[in-house]
Amino acid sequence: AQMKSRAQLRSAWLAKGHGVYAALSGEGALLSELPKHERAVVLFGSRGAPSHLTEALHLHLRQLSVVHVETYFAHLDAEEAPLISSMVELAELPTLLLCEGGRVTGQLAGVDRTFTTEGVAYELGQRGLVHFDDGIHYGASAGGCTTATARRAREGSDSDEGSDLDD
């Protein structure tokens, strides 16, 4: 019954356009698309941003979109969305807009070349946007890690389990 339920959820997500990394043509597309999805991650970037960083993020999100079909992944150029740019206080570009319930609820800025796809997935998982699992492999990506991933590696994955039992 659980497997059937998960398969139905997966089919529903795929029918809504999940499972691919979508290009949004402007803020109108973003505003019409967000309400359709419980969770979404949108790369909000600028043509003036360092291309190596933007390309790395595109690669990571493409890989994540295939694995994490529970979340809608897309990208939007900031020049095509001046209203969104003025409504959302951006820390820097490019940034990942974190969306829940059809609206932008946060952002993940400061993603740099040291992030791996797993590192981005971990950070999104910490914010409840993907179901992160340490065992998932996302394919080849540039070396590096997030601060959180490095901390988890140093501390060991069993250290968090004990604290849950104490609560």
Side-chain angles (χ1 to χ4, degrees):
Q2 252 185 346
M3 288 174 43
K4 186 176 181 179
S5 175
R6 293 186 95 178
Q8 288 174 336
L9 272 175
R10 181 178 173 81
S11 293
W13 288 324
L14 293 174
K16 287 182 178 182
H18 293 218
V20 297
Y21 182 50
L24 299 174
S25 59
E27 57 197 14
L30 176 68
L31 295 173
S32 68
E33 200 61 42
L34 281 186
K36 300 175 187 176
H37 309 283
E38 187 179 324
R39 290 175 299 275
V41 176
V42 178
L43 172 58
F44 196 67
S46 171
R47 290 182 208 118
S51 62
H52 61 277
L53 176 55
T54 302
E55 287 307 312
L57 285 170
H58 283 304
L59 171 70
H60 296 323
L61 295 182
R62 251 184 233 106
Q63 291 174 339
L64 290 173
S65 69
V66 174
V67 175
H68 292 285
V69 295
E70 71 274 12
T71 304
Y72 177 74
F73 290 89
H75 61 94
L76 176 63
D77 194 295
E79 283 84 15
E80 295 178 10
L83 180 62
I84 300 295
S85 295
S86 66
M87 291 173 62
V88 178
E89 188 174 323
L90 298 170
E92 60 186 79
L93 288 178
T95 192
L96 299 179
L97 297 179
L98 311 177
C99 310
E100 294 179 87
R103 54 194 257 302
V104 176
T105 58
Q107 59 183 285
L108 180 57
V111 178
D112 62 28
R113 291 179 58 189
T114 65
F115 274 67
T116 63
T117 303
E118 180 195 34
V120 175
Y122 175 79
E123 297 297 335
L124 294 174
Q126 290 297 298
R127 290 159 177 83
L129 288 159
V130 299
H131 302 296
F132 180 78
D133 182 8
D134 274 328
I136 296 176
H137 295 284
Y138 298 100
S141 62
C145 63
T146 65
T147 304
T149 305
R151 183 178 62 244
R152 278 188 303 116
R154 279 194 312 272
E155 294 172 356
S157 60
D158 294 335
S159 63
D160 290 343
E161 292 177 19
S163 64
D164 290 342
L165 296 174
D166 294 338
D167 294 341

